[in-house]
Amino acid sequence: MTLPDTISGLLGIDGVVGTVIGAFLGAALIGTIMLANAALAGPWAKRKITAAFTDRIAINKLGPLGLGHILPDAVRLLSKELIVPEGVDRPAWDIAPIIMVFSALLGFAVIPMGSGIHLADPSVGLIFAFAVASIASVSLVMAGYSSNNKYSFLGGLRAVAQNLAYEIPLILTGLSVVLFAGSLQMSEIVAAQQETLALGPIGIPAWFGLVNPFAFVLFLVANVAEVGRNPFDIPEAPTEIVAGFQTEYSSVYFVLLYLGEFVHIFLGGALIATIFLGGPAAPIAALSVVPGFIWFLIKIWGVFLFTQWLRSALPRVRIDQLIEIGWKGMLVLSIANLFLTAVIVGVLPS
Amino acid sequence: MSLQEPTPDLDPGENPDGTLDYDELAGLLGEHVIDREQHENATAFVVRPDEVETVLATLKREAGFDHCSCVTAQQYQDRYESIYHLKKYKDPTQELSVVVPTPSDAPLSQSATGVYDTANWHEREAYDLVGIEYDDHPDLRRILLPETWQGHPLGLDYNQKKPQIVPLREHANPVEERTQVPGDSDTMFVNIGPHHPATHGVLHLKTVLDGEQVVDVDPDIGYLHRCEEQMCQQSTYRHQIMPYPDRWDYISAGILNEWAYARTAEEMADIEVPEYAQVLRTMSAEMCRIAAHLLAVGTFALDIYGDFTAIFMYAVTDREKVQNLLEDLTGQRLMFNYLRLGGTAWDLPEPRDEYFEKVRDFCEYIPERLEEYHNLLSSNELFQMRVMDTGILPPEEAKSYGCTGPVARASGIDYDLRRDDPYGYYDELDWNVITDDGCDNFSRALVRLEEMRESARIIEQCVDVLEDWPEDEREIQANVPRTLKPEPDTEIYRAVEAAKGELGIYIRSDGTDKPARFKIRSPAFCNLQSLEVMAEGEYVPDMVAALGSLDIVLGEVDR
């Protein structure tokens, strides 16, 4: 049962009206959860994690562990003047930040978060998630092209080049999982990972990340490039092209872009959790008392932590090196992975 | 089999003992030499303004003067004068000055750019500040002052009180015409800086890009010009000049800079510095070098990683430790003002044993930390992928551009004034000059890392010496007259090995207690010129890396 049905059932409204109200309320709930996560990640967790990696303390004055900084930071960012540069391509420039957040949030519609929080479960769920996540590239190009700034323009071009190079390996690797699960539906993919593999005396969960670690690593790497984090933060590259596509944005628009990036990282995390880490399932049966939603949050925050770790540890590669890694390395490996998986899946039952 | 020593390869005019035979050199130039002058550091040949290129080319090609250290320009009552301070990379004590007088009413002199690439910026500066024009110069524009500036501030007839009035229309969009590219061109013009995260201050790179590749880069400097030369010309030798050098390379290289002035002025006024003070100077200067190199490596990592990572934090933390040592010694953390003519401001802090222990701990700590930096940086494969074989500076180009310091040493040029032109206490100590043949961004970072190890060794040996120094012989200051008035028309050019390279100072006295001309040869200024060679044809990120590996400080570039 999906979230809208649960809500309409609780409210006791049947029919189309119930579905619509349930869907709206469910979407609002999921949007709020993810924005709250991003709000925690952007102004607070990111700083604390980076500080831990670089031997610093970071924010600690307001509230426990400096958590109280989130609110003043939000007020500060939102109360800044919105500077609209002369010569920007107005509708595109305004729409780009909105698309950014929108595309990332939309992807969560098909993610099963456990504890019954699952907005929709279409039979092409995985394809839908990949499709809406890629809309973000459109917003990067719009932002870069409409800003009428050369740095933004370079950033936008880099974003396209990068997304082209990494989206294909990302999806191909995702497809190898589909071969295992035999379905594109998210709930099916999660269900396919619920068994326990007996590895001698110990049983491990049949998560696809453990069944096919090669695909898991490929997907992780492609995902880092997809969300534009070190060592692949080429579209922003502060020491090279100032801030890339977001150079000219300030105030609310900047917040939207920034927030969009974090939601995007979480969407990447959610996809990894769903197709490689058993979705909301607990790693061992004994821990199933903890609600699935908590496990889901732990997993997406784990991926977030991973991206922050990379950011603090790895140098940024150069644009030509990035493209080379994408086309010559990742693409080949992901195709090889897909074929191998197909062969194994085809041979194993017989 | 011959047991005979091979005859050392001597340049014409070079004596076997490493000194110069100026008569032979003059013979080499024939009638181009119209007169000779005696400067404190070298003999000067006076040549005609239309024969500069011939003379310099001959000296470079036949007599081995491959290093044009500095070009000084000045105005006398009756003439203008350009002085080319020539040296050899193989032995910087073999010096020769070429003086080119030009008449007051038509100060036109032939450019040396065809012989030494480094002369390009030096002559632009001479044109900008003094007003000498150079014939055949490829690009004679102002370099430090804005293009709309009226007059030449270091000329004798310049009226300082006259306000600089620039009509608004000239300033409406000062970069507009320069940003125009031909309509059918595929290139893009980008202003990188003066406000840009990677320019290490207020540097402005006028860059032409073809896609992501750099077609042309033209550094625009002068945003931090603070008239340091003029301020020194208006200050007395004895006390007033010494605080200024701290402000040139302000990234904690203060004492190294002060030493440049101290060495020049002491040699000019024949001041003998007590040995004990020389040890103190050597120790404190090397502490400054470590601090400067730590920041250089930290910011270089920042440029490559694109984020404040552990390396930057570690470098700053370690720099903090050496700054504490310097603070104990000098009472200051940045603008030390520790050296005095003829000695240092004060002795080591009491209790001495405690201070020695702190310094020793630090010297033992540095090699341990270097392992960490090597683990984080030089043995990191992604890092290597980014910086190896990028920003190539071939040795010949480096020499022609007058590169010195770690930049030159990373191009395989074995040149370090501490060893080749010894001063202070360096020749009594056991240490090595680090060189690397990589010529790339990676080598430059590597040379800096390894130089810190050598600096720590020097400091350690200085501590040994200081500890054993008899208590009644701790003389920190020579007898220096209260007012210094060197003989009129004494001219001297002297350099020391500062953090970025050869920091030279030219002083001409006019018999008063203030210098008549005070010229600073900034190593970062000369090194920055070579950015063109490193960056052209590379990607933007590599240009940023090359800039980081040059380790410029805009305070020193612009002075």
Side-chain angles (χ1 to χ4, degrees):
Chain A
M1 201 153 88
T2 55
L3 192 59
D5 298 336
T6 319
I7 293 174
S8 58
L10 278 176
L11 294 174
I13 312 171
D14 293 331
V16 180
V17 181
T19 313
V20 169
I21 290 177
F24 268 115
L25 288 177
L29 178 70
I30 288 176
T32 312
I33 292 170
M34 289 339 292
L35 288 178
N37 268 313
L40 192 63
W44 184 78
K46 179 193 156 191
R47 290 181 186 175
K48 284 300 219 187
I49 294 169
T50 316
F53 276 119
T54 56
D55 215 355
R56 289 181 290 125
I57 298 167
I59 43 172
N60 64 346
K61 295 293 176 208
L62 292 181
L65 296 171
L67 273 168
H69 284 272
I70 296 173
L71 187 66
D73 259 1
V75 174
R76 173 174 65 85
L77 284 167
L78 294 178
S79 57
K80 297 252 174 181
E81 182 189 356
L82 178 64
I83 299 164
V84 183
E86 215 178 341
V88 295
D89 190 0
R90 221 23 222 282
W93 193 74
D94 297 294
I95 295 167
I98 300 169
I99 293 184
M100 178 89 182
V101 182
F102 169 79
S103 74
L105 279 178
L106 200 57
F108 283 101
V110 294
I111 304 286
M113 304 189 191
S115 314
I117 307 177
H118 190 182
L119 199 60
D121 194 15
S123 54
V124 289
L126 190 61
I127 297 295
F128 176 82
F130 281 135
V132 292
S134 338
I135 299 177
S137 335
V138 178
S139 84
L140 300 189
V141 181
M142 281 169 77
Y145 198 68
S146 64
S147 288
N148 192 26
N149 175 314
K150 288 165 183 168
Y151 291 119
S152 305
F153 183 60
L154 280 176
L157 292 182
R158 284 177 170 202
V160 187
Q162 177 166 343
N163 281 321
L164 278 180
Y166 283 84
E167 208 126 290
I168 301 170
L170 187 81
I171 293 172
L172 284 179
T173 320
L175 283 182
S176 73
V177 169
V178 174
L179 289 179
F180 275 124
S183 169
L184 286 166
Q185 199 167 12
M186 290 298 208
S187 53
E188 294 284 321
I189 295 174
V190 171
Q193 303 178 53
Q194 299 309 316
E195 303 156 29
T196 306
L197 285 180
L199 222 81
I202 36 167
I204 55 160
W207 294 356
F208 292 140
L210 300 174
V211 174
N212 188 356
F214 183 61
F216 180 54
V217 172
L218 272 181
F219 196 87
L220 260 184
V221 174
N223 181 59
V224 171
E226 171 72 13
V227 298
R229 278 288 165 267
N230 260 12
F232 305 122
D233 68 335
I234 308 285
E236 282 174 53
T239 51
E240 294 156 23
I241 50 171
V242 186
F245 58 89
Q246 47 178 258
T247 307
E248 294 288 2
Y249 284 95
S250 56
S251 185
V252 182
Y253 284 175
F254 172 74
V255 174
L256 281 175
L257 282 173
Y258 198 63
L259 203 68
E261 282 190 2
F262 278 95
V263 179
H264 214 79
I265 298 178
F266 282 118
L267 178 62
L271 280 172
I272 290 170
T274 308
I275 64 180
F276 284 107
L277 299 176
I284 46 175
L287 286 172
S288 296
V289 283
V290 180
F293 181 63
I294 303 292
W295 283 118
F296 176 77
L297 283 182
I298 290 174
K299 284 168 187 172
I300 61 172
W301 274 89
V303 175
F304 178 74
L305 188 68
F306 177 72
T307 61
Q308 296 302 306
W309 177 25
L310 292 182
R311 179 174 174 272
S312 316
L314 294 181
R316 175 194 306 134
V317 297
R318 209 168 48 214
I319 176 79
D320 58 316
Q321 294 169 337
L322 170 103
I323 301 298
E324 215 160 278
I325 297 169
W327 288 110
K328 293 188 186 165
M330 299 284 292
L331 184 63
V332 179
L333 288 177
S334 59
I335 290 177
N337 170 56
L338 185 65
F339 276 101
L340 275 177
T341 316
V343 169
I344 291 170
V345 169
V347 168
L348 266 188
S350 57
Chain B
M1 296 288 279
S2 160
L3 288 173
Q4 228 181 345
E5 290 256 315
T7 343
D9 204 7
L10 289 182
D11 292 323
E14 186 181 351
N15 294 326
D17 63 348
T19 54
L20 281 178
D21 182 352
Y22 288 104
D23 292 327
E24 197 185 332
L25 283 174
L28 192 70
L29 294 171
E31 56 194 23
H32 291 306
V33 181
I34 51 176
D35 197 6
R36 278 211 222 174
E37 286 177 16
Q38 198 56 46
H39 292 181
E40 289 290 304
N41 60 312
T43 296
F45 292 164
V46 181
V47 305
R48 290 165 49 86
D50 53 354
E51 289 172 349
V52 176
E53 197 168 332
T54 326
V55 169
L56 293 181
T58 312
L59 287 173
K60 184 183 182 184
R61 198 177 51 241
E62 285 169 31
F65 287 98
D66 50 359
H67 181 27
C68 177
S69 181
C70 183
V71 181
T72 304
Q74 54 187 330
Q75 187 179 9
Y76 288 87
Q77 291 300 341
D78 58 340
R79 66 181 191 279
Y80 283 95
E81 204 175 84
S82 316
I83 308 173
Y84 295 87
H85 302 281
L86 305 183
K87 290 185 179 184
K88 294 179 182 175
Y89 271 104
K90 65 168 192 179
D91 182 2
T93 56
Q94 299 184 12
E95 293 178 74
L96 175 69
S97 301
V98 174
V99 175
V100 188
T102 38
S104 289
D105 48 345
L108 185 69
S109 174
Q110 201 176 25
S111 168
T113 321
V115 187
Y116 301 106
D117 287 315
T118 182
N120 187 328
W121 279 20
H122 283 298
E123 286 175 351
R124 277 177 69 190
E125 187 187 317
Y127 162 72
D128 188 3
L129 298 181
V130 182
I132 302 176
E133 287 180 28
Y134 292 90
D135 208 8
D136 295 335
H137 190 284
D139 182 27
L140 197 63
R141 287 177 289 139
R142 287 190 180 273
I143 186 166
L144 294 176
L145 301 177
E147 276 165 42
T148 51
W149 199 268
Q150 307 288 310
H152 303 281
L154 292 182
L156 293 178
D157 49 358
Y158 181 74
N159 181 3
Q160 287 189 24
K161 298 214 165 63
K162 185 179 163 229
Q164 290 284 331
I165 299 172
V166 180
L168 181 63
R169 65 172 185 283
E170 282 182 39
H171 255 316
N173 189 351
V175 292
E176 191 167 20
E177 67 190 58
R178 283 182 268 137
T179 59
Q180 298 289 328
V181 280
D184 55 347
S185 166
D186 286 339
T187 56
M188 175 162 82
F189 179 91
V190 192
N191 286 305
I192 297 183
H195 302 288
H196 185 281
T199 50
H200 293 226
V202 278
L203 174 67
H204 174 192
L205 298 173
K206 294 185 248 171
T207 318
V208 179
L209 298 181
D210 178 11
E212 283 261 356
Q213 271 166 322
V214 178
V215 177
D216 183 41
V217 56
D218 176 18
D220 177 16
I221 61 173
Y223 290 86
L224 202 56
H225 180 56
R226 293 152 299 162
C227 320
E228 291 284 350
E229 289 179 5
Q230 191 158 34
M231 285 197 290
C232 291
Q233 279 167 217
Q234 291 169 350
S235 309
T236 58
Y237 291 106
R238 184 68 181 88
H239 290 296
Q240 291 179 345
I241 294 179
M242 195 55 93
Y244 286 125
D246 284 326
R247 281 136 182 96
W248 303 342
D249 176 359
Y250 47 70
I251 308 292
S252 37
I255 295 174
L256 293 158
N257 303 346
E258 287 169 26
W259 207 343
Y261 170 64
R263 187 180 186 200
T264 315
E266 280 157 7
E267 200 153 315
M268 192 176 186
D270 285 326
I271 301 168
E272 196 66 42
V273 183
E275 195 99 313
Y276 183 72
Q278 294 284 31
V279 184
L280 283 179
R281 284 180 174 188
T282 310
M283 183 186 75
S284 53
E286 290 309 308
M287 287 181 185
C288 282
R289 194 183 309 278
I290 292 183
H293 280 1
L294 275 172
L295 200 75
V297 170
T299 48
F300 181 56
L302 174 63
D303 285 338
I304 306 297
Y305 281 69
D307 232 315
F308 287 92
T309 53
I311 302 160
F312 181 83
M313 296 309 299
Y314 288 176
V316 170
T317 315
D318 290 344
R319 181 168 167 265
E320 196 64 23
K321 294 193 197 316
V322 65
Q323 293 238 275
N324 287 339
L325 293 179
L326 282 164
E327 189 185 359
D328 288 349
L329 181 66
T330 67
Q332 285 287 336
R333 290 177 67 79
L334 203 59
M335 303 295 161
F336 305 107
N337 194 14
Y338 178 61
L339 301 196
R340 295 286 179 273
L341 294 190
T344 61
W346 38 68
D347 199 353
L348 292 167
E350 295 290 345
R352 292 165 67 95
D353 290 339
E354 205 174 286
Y355 188 70
F356 286 141
E357 202 184 315
K358 276 196 226 169
V359 178
R360 268 187 208 289
D361 284 348
F362 178 74
C363 292
E364 281 163 25
Y365 172 78
I366 279 291
E368 288 169 27
R369 296 299 292 173
L370 282 174
E371 290 310 307
E372 177 100 44
Y373 289 116
H374 278 302
N375 284 340
L376 280 166
L377 275 177
S378 42
S379 48
N380 179 335
E381 279 182 38
L382 267 178
F383 184 80
Q384 291 177 1
M385 193 167 107
R386 274 289 271 111
V387 294
M388 272 185 170
D389 295 325
T390 61
I392 302 283
L393 182 67
E396 283 316 306
E397 299 267 13
K399 285 181 181 176
S400 182
Y401 276 97
C403 293
T404 48
V407 176
R409 290 194 282 275
S411 287
I413 302 172
D414 193 6
Y415 181 77
D416 191 322
L417 290 180
R418 290 176 289 172
R419 180 199 61 197
D420 299 337
D421 182 12
Y423 56 97
Y425 206 67
Y426 287 112
D427 48 354
E428 311 278 326
L429 305 173
D430 174 31
W431 57 283
N432 299 318
V433 175
I434 306 291
T435 55
D436 195 295
D437 292 330
C439 308
D440 54 9
N441 292 337
F442 185 69
S443 309
R444 288 187 276 276
L446 214 57
V447 165
R448 288 202 181 88
L449 279 174
E450 286 306 310
E451 271 184 19
M452 281 191 253
R453 194 191 304 277
E454 297 302 320
S455 292
R457 276 178 69 194
I458 295 176
I459 297 173
E460 211 157 21
Q461 294 171 49
C462 286
V463 172
D464 291 341
V465 173
L466 287 172
E467 250 177 344
D468 298 338
W469 209 275
E471 197 170 345
D472 49 348
E473 286 171 29
R474 289 179 197 156
E475 201 186 340
I476 58 161
Q477 178 71 43
N479 268 330
V480 182
R482 191 165 294 169
T483 327
L484 268 190
K485 284 187 183 172
E487 292 286 302
D489 281 319
T490 319
E491 297 179 51
I492 185 166
Y493 174 76
R494 268 280 161 259
V496 299
E497 187 73 26
K500 276 64 179 175
E502 178 176 335
L503 176 61
I505 290 175
Y506 166 86
I507 298 178
R508 174 171 64 87
S509 67
D510 57 358
T512 64
D513 58 350
K514 295 171 185 167
R517 179 76 174 99
F518 190 99
K519 161 80 187 167
I520 307 158
R521 189 263 186 206
S522 142
F525 178 84
C526 303
N527 291 350
L528 177 59
Q529 248 195 104
S530 65
L531 180 66
E532 253 180 280
V533 182
M534 300 183 193
E536 277 167 22
E538 301 271 13
Y539 289 93
V540 178
D542 290 337
M543 183 179 76
V544 168
L547 189 61
S549 75
L550 277 176
D551 183 27
I552 50 159
V553 173
L554 268 299
E556 194 180 52
V557 174
D558 295 344
R559 284 152 289 146

